[in-house]
Amino acid sequence: MDGEQAITRLIRRADDVRKAEAARRDPSLARAEAEELLQEARERVDDLPPGPRRDELTAQVTRRIGDIDREELETMLVPTPGVTRAPTTVEDPRRVPPGQHLTPGWPVLHVGRAPEVADPEAWRVVVTGRVERRLDLTLAELRGLPTVTVTSDLHCVTAWSRLDNAWTGVPVAEVLDRAHARPEASHAVVAGHPAYTANLDLPALREPDVLLAWAHDGRPLDRAHGGPLRLVVPSRYGWKSVKWVTEIRLTDRDVPGYWEERGYHDVADPWREQRFRDD
Ligand SMILES: Nc1nc2c(c(=O)[nH]1)N[C@H]1C(S)=C(S)[C@@H](COP(=O)(O)O)O[C@H]1N2
Ligand SMILES: [Mo]
């Protein structure tokens, strides 16, 4: 059987599994089964010669995996207490990047567990690596730096987007100005609790809407969403917005972070759909 036929068969089987889902006792099991078939299809698609047919099959597989991820996430939706916002129903292509859908709530997404924080004001972030001056700042000290509120959108690679988040915090550029990047500093690895990292190039990190944020929509940031302190990088998929941020380490080369090591895209621009490496 030729490669394309095998792929369309895998896709059809995945669709069948999903259709039978309603009758099943455990829909998440059916989703896992379908996702496995689709992952196999994806691997085979990668082996096809480049061209419109491969692009078309890639799109078919990606769309289905996105649907499954979204359904999984819907089972995890956590409303933010006290925050009421008008539900956005229109998917404006100028606001919502390709392949993304608006989420009515605000999913909580992270690997591992949120940290226990006895004294939020004592939360520390260090700026290390290729800097002239190493910084060690508590949240209380960060509040003393120029503070801004910037409204921006959060786009998770699992295909949900949450628009109009009013983040309050200090621009990372303000912090870096105080640490003085050395001439050879080109990138940063940002670390967060418990052992999470994400890499960014320095120009991206210095954009004016990139913040170390402690408040969201006028309220202290929920612990689940990265409180007391998280990074916010609106121009990149959400995995670069490190929650419970502990360190910004400047490097003289690009060092992949947690998800980048696992096949996710180095840059991660949602407008260019840079979800996975080589996309
Ligand atoms: N420390 C830490 N930060 C993290 C993550 C994580 O696993 N650990 N996940 C990232 C991902 S994939 C996304 S989409 C956002 C989600 O933020 P939210 O939980 O506030 O919606 O956090 C990012 N920051
Ligand atoms: Mo994400």
Side-chain angles (χ1 to χ4, degrees), residues 109 156-157 239:
L109 216 60
C156 173
V157 71
W239 85 77

Side-chain angles (χ1 to χ4, degrees), residues 8 35 40 42 85 97 107 136 156 159 162 178 240 276:
T8 39
E35 186 142 20
E40 195 186 327
R42 161 131 64 204
R85 47 197 298 279
D136 182 343
C156 173
R162 189 181 196 281
R178 286 159 177 78
K240 304 275 189 183
F276 306 105

Side-chain angles (χ1 to χ4, degrees), residues 28-173:
S28 77
L29 217 74
R31 277 196 292 268
E33 201 178 304
E35 186 142 20
E36 214 167 282
L37 292 164
L38 292 166
Q39 293 297 0
E40 195 186 327
R42 161 131 64 204
E43 273 165 35
R44 287 173 184 242
V45 171
D46 288 343
D47 291 338
L48 292 177
R53 189 63 192 141
R54 184 169 87 171
D55 294 346
E56 165 59 23
L57 288 169
T58 303
Q60 283 190 28
V61 171
T62 306
R63 178 165 16 92
R64 284 170 172 80
I65 291 177
D67 286 346
I68 291 174
D69 286 349
R70 230 174 357 263
E71 262 181 49
E72 283 288 310
L73 271 165
E74 271 160 21
T75 67
M76 299 166 48
L77 283 183
V78 178
T80 311
V83 175
T84 47
R85 47 197 298 279
T88 321
T89 48
V90 181
E91 305 218 346
D92 182 342
R94 285 162 306 179
R95 294 291 309 278
V96 184
Q100 296 292 110
H101 298 263
L102 296 177
T103 172
W106 187 4
V108 168
L109 216 60
H110 52 261
V111 285
R113 281 165 166 275
E116 300 296 331
V117 184
D119 178 4
E121 293 303 302
W123 185 269
R124 307 191 94 86
V125 60
V126 293
V127 184
T128 61
R130 306 285 171 154
V131 291
E132 301 293 351
R133 209 176 134 222
R134 187 180 189 278
L135 300 181
D136 182 343
L137 297 161
T138 62
L139 173 52
E141 287 164 339
L142 277 172
R143 288 183 199 276
L145 300 184
T147 298
V148 295
T149 295
V150 180
T151 299
S152 63
D153 304 334
L154 179 60
H155 308 293
C156 173
V157 71
T158 61
W160 57 265
S161 290
R162 189 181 196 281
L163 305 185
D164 300 323
N165 301 280
W167 296 104
T168 301
V170 172
V172 170

Side-chain angles (χ1 to χ4, degrees), residues 196-272:
Y196 185 81
T197 54
N199 58 321
L200 289 151
D201 61 77
L202 229 45
L205 199 58
R206 298 188 61 98
E207 289 289 321
D209 58 358
V210 173
L211 309 183
L212 286 172
W214 53 78
H216 176 275
D217 286 353
R219 304 166 60 92
L221 183 58
D222 277 4
R223 193 176 67 119
H225 288 297
L229 190 69
R230 81 177 291 170
L231 179 70
V232 180
V233 189
S235 68
R236 302 291 187 256
Y237 280 121
W239 85 77
K240 304 275 189 183
S241 291
V242 176
K243 307 202 281 193
W244 314 297
V245 59
T246 53
E247 181 183 15
I248 300 173
R249 182 164 55 91
L250 300 200
T251 55
D252 61 355
R253 69 206 148 84
D254 198 10
V255 182
Y258 181 90
W259 285 115
E260 295 81 9
E261 268 185 347
R262 288 162 176 77
Y264 283 76
H265 201 282
D266 209 55
V267 177
D269 177 353
W271 294 98
R272 288 189 281 164

